[in-house]
Amino acid sequence: MRGRLFAADPDRMSPPMRAHPGFSVLILVLAGVLAAPAPWAPAAQAQTVKTPAKPSKTAKPAGPKAIGKFDEWTAATNKEAGQTVCYAFTRAQSSSAVLSGRGDVVLTVTERPGGRDAVAISAGFAYTQNASVAVAIDAQPPLDFYTAQRSAFARDGHATVQAFLKGRQVVATSPAPKSVEVADTFSLKGFHAAYAAIVKACPAGKAAP
């Protein structure tokens, strides 16, 4: 499964996520958003109202903020260089083969004012140099993702998102360490709503407040 629907040379492209080496670190933080109780959920019981403490002048910037949970997908925002960036992301539902010590496997679509529809997979392991990942949406021919360190990126993000909007599931087949091939399956249930939420929160050409 190594279809090359998009055969462009990655060195001649300017994919938005390529310029952000902290992507893998951000995925770990976003994974925390997935695991944390939803801030929009009702409280389990009444609590005593306390006077909020005065914010510290040395307080660190807030991390990602959830926009909402849409079935298998979560929409969130995060600050990058003073600019709000929006993400829709989901964890793999299943993976084979099972790799010991593997990190979170997360599929992410990112919207920036100056960079639209960046699609990336955080693999949970480091790819070998010049590896490629075959990403199949339902029964369609697989799209070719190029890799860098622990992440794989769509060559044509817009076309990939359009395929996601029409699909039900994604299967990413990747070369893993020790000559093992892994297949990660992601559900697209809720992607349409999550994508609409991040496009609204981060419209093209405009920095979200």
Side-chain angles (χ1 to χ4, degrees), residues 10-197:
D11 292 333
R12 298 180 62 186
M13 300 182 299
S14 56
M17 297 305 295
R18 193 183 185 90
H20 294 269
F23 173 68
S24 296
V25 175
L26 174 63
I27 286 299
L28 296 177
V29 181
L30 290 178
V33 174
L34 275 172
W40 55 89
Q45 60 183 15
Q47 297 181 353
T48 303
V49 177
K50 295 182 180 180
T51 303
K54 292 182 180 180
S56 171
K57 293 182 180 180
T58 59
K60 295 182 179 180
K65 295 181 180 179
I67 297 174
K69 185 78 166 62
F70 306 90
D71 292 312
E72 300 299 326
W73 286 75
T74 298
T77 64
N78 191 51
K79 288 287 187 180
E80 284 184 3
Q83 199 174 66
T84 299
V85 179
C86 296
Y87 304 87
F89 58 97
T90 187
R91 279 195 181 107
Q93 285 191 316
S94 63
S95 298
S96 63
V98 177
L99 301 179
S100 176
R102 189 180 185 186
D104 281 319
V105 186
V106 184
L107 173 61
T108 308
V109 175
T110 306
E111 301 297 331
R112 293 182 173 84
R116 312 303 293 173
D117 294 348
V119 184
I121 297 171
S122 176
F125 58 78
Y127 289 108
T128 58
Q129 189 173 8
N130 298 322
S132 62
V133 176
V135 177
I137 299 95
D138 297 339
Q140 299 301 312
L143 310 180
D144 185 50
F145 279 40
Y146 69 91
T147 60
Q149 299 178 2
R150 299 171 67 88
S151 301
F153 303 95
R155 297 179 185 275
D156 188 331
H158 178 71
T160 303
V161 166
Q162 293 308 305
F164 283 3
L165 290 170
K166 300 173 184 176
R168 294 186 177 181
Q169 76 172 19
V170 175
V171 178
T173 304
S174 311
K178 299 182 179 179
S179 301
V180 175
E181 187 173 77
V182 297
D184 300 308
T185 300
F186 304 88
S187 172
L188 288 171
K189 185 177 182 181
F191 174 73
H192 199 289
Y195 179 69

